[in-house]
Amino acid sequence: MAQSDDRGTGERALVTGAAGFVGGHLWRRLLGDGVEAVGLDMVPSRRGIPEGARFLQVDIRDGEAVRRAIAEVRPTVVYHLAAQASVVVSMRDPVGDVEANVIGSLQLARAAMEHGARRFVFFSTGGALFGAPEVIPIAEDYPAQPESVYGASKLAAERYLALVTRGSDTELSVVRPGNIYGPWQDPHGEAGVVAIFAQRMLANEDCTIYGDGGQLRDYVYVEDVVDAAVRAASHEAATCNIGTGTPTSTRRVFDVIATNVGYERPPILAPERAGDIKQIAQDATKARALWGWAPQVAFEDGIARTVEFFRTQRA
Ligand SMILES: NC(=O)c1ccc[n+]([C@@H]2O[C@H](COP(=O)([O-])OP(=O)(O)OC[C@H]3O[C@@H](n4cnc5c(N)ncnc54)[C@H](O)[C@@H]3O)[C@@H](O)[C@H]2O)c1
């Protein structure tokens, strides 16, 4: 595969999903590092466009538009975060989910390979690939058994991307994050419990816990995930879990945010939602060994920063 003539003169990055939560952080981090980083998303960015940066409004399901965007940017690295990222929506519209997460990802990778990208960093999931593991934290080689269309499409994309990039000059790194939280997460979705609780507690509204509050998740701060993405592009190409390895219960999430906010209402307890898994946490030993990555932001600290962000947003 031909390589870009401009290799070596500096990195050109394309960040897909740049209007979203994690992509928005990653895009700004790269720009801050002096990387020529172009953002791409199918919707305009609610955070706006950083000064001097370029943003392309493209739907990755549109193959022709994807090829035009890649030909224009000729990225050396593609950070692919654009996704239909909702488990609930994936069950309601499986075809749409596959179109975005599998076909869209492949169209992007094929175009990036044609234009000599050296690395394709794919954001998969650490939580939705494995069903309900008996023992946590789990390593990357734990048998995949997705229980949602979203998990299945991420797994399929991982596998197709590995096949199409095999033997080419475009190396594939796969990032499998746990539950990401932090500033700018959408508090209006059905996922993202930290953003939802923070927003509701600051408004002194009721917060609902589904089940007994004992469900365990691996909460990882968004800046730590962004750091992992940067390392996934610059270190050895690999598939790595990105999590703290420490499971946190929903009840503890509630309590830590409540303490930060000074919220005094008890949670509303509602029946468990179908498909909610009991426990998941990622063992990130491999990311530490290959990418030199380790989480830097402790849960209490990350929560304090997140609450502060939502407090400022309200003011
Ligand atoms: N947030 C988490 O806890 C978490 C955990 C594991 C993995 N991930 C993965 O990380 C990535 C980023 O997640 P996020 O939380 O920032 O999600 P997000 O929903 O905030 O951002 C995703 C972005 O992708 C865009 N998008 C969706 N379909 C598109 C299409 N067809 N064409 C172009 N853009 C499209 C959306 O408009 C959105 O801005 C996703 O791939 C997600 O699956 C997220």
Side-chain angles (χ1 to χ4, degrees):
M1 187 79 34
Q3 294 186 351
S4 159
D5 295 333
D6 295 345
R7 281 186 78 185
T9 61
E11 207 79 289
R12 273 189 314 279
L14 180 70
V15 179
T16 76
F21 165 43
V22 186
H25 282 278
L26 174 59
W27 187 24
R28 285 164 179 81
R29 155 79 193 267
L30 292 168
L31 291 166
D33 288 350
V35 176
E36 186 188 333
V38 178
L40 179 151
D41 206 294
M42 71 174 177
V43 299
S45 166
R46 71 190 165 98
R47 283 180 77 174
I49 296 172
E51 213 187 313
R54 268 202 306 161
F55 178 79
L56 304 175
Q57 195 167 339
V58 169
D59 187 326
I60 59 165
R61 291 169 297 186
D62 179 346
E64 193 44 50
V66 165
R67 280 189 290 278
R68 268 200 310 272
I70 294 281
E72 192 185 321
V73 178
R74 292 195 305 130
T76 53
V77 179
V78 175
Y79 296 92
H80 178 36
L81 286 79
Q84 188 307 103
S86 158
V87 168
V88 174
V89 172
S90 82
M91 302 306 279
R92 206 167 52 220
D93 178 17
V95 173
D97 181 90
V98 170
E99 281 170 353
N101 294 358
V102 182
I103 311 281
S105 299
L106 277 175
Q107 292 185 145
L108 201 62
R110 298 272 296 163
M113 289 165 67
E114 245 168 66
H115 288 275
R118 65 165 186 82
R119 189 65 63 92
F120 192 88
V121 177
F122 174 60
F123 262 62
S124 182
T125 165
L129 296 184
F130 302 105
E134 285 298 314
V135 181
I136 55 171
I138 55 166
E140 288 79 1
D141 57 0
Y142 191 88
Q145 179 122 37
E147 289 187 0
S148 64
V149 170
Y150 168 73
S153 72
K154 287 286 185 180
L155 180 63
E158 278 193 16
R159 298 210 165 143
Y160 282 118
L161 289 171
L163 289 168
V164 300
T165 56
R166 192 161 66 188
S168 81
D169 291 334
T170 307
E171 292 184 308
L172 174 69
S173 274
V174 176
V175 177
R176 287 183 177 172
N179 278 48
I180 311 168
Y181 72 99
W184 292 103
Q185 187 162 29
D186 181 3
H188 306 295
E190 87 283 343
V193 71
V194 171
I196 295 169
F197 283 177
Q199 175 97 338
R200 295 190 69 84
M201 287 185 193
L202 285 163
N204 200 28
E205 291 168 359
D206 282 332
C207 293
T208 304
I209 292 182
Y210 298 94
D212 62 5
Q215 308 95 321
L216 299 172
R217 300 284 182 274
D218 192 333
Y219 292 93
V220 57
Y221 192 64
V222 65
E223 277 177 20
D224 280 331
V225 176
V226 161
D227 185 50
V230 172
R231 288 165 186 270
S234 55
H235 291 59
E236 185 177 331
T239 295
C240 290
N241 285 341
I242 294 300
T244 64
T246 307
T248 302
S249 72
T250 310
R251 178 65 211 217
R252 180 161 152 71
V253 173
F254 178 95
D255 289 340
V256 175
I257 300 176
T259 304
N260 256 277
V261 171
Y263 179 81
E264 287 179 346
R265 298 182 190 213
I268 307 291
L269 298 179
E272 214 171 309
R273 288 179 300 189
D276 267 354
I277 53 170
K278 217 169 95 38
Q279 57 170 18
I280 185 84
Q282 279 75 35
D283 176 349
T285 306
K286 189 175 170 192
R288 186 186 292 269
L290 295 186
W291 297 347
W293 180 86
Q296 302 298 316
V297 181
F299 183 67
E300 290 78 1
D301 188 18
I303 291 293
R305 295 192 205 181
T306 307
V307 167
E308 191 46 38
F309 166 78
F310 282 110
R311 201 192 304 272
T312 312
Q313 287 283 99
R314 282 175 59 79

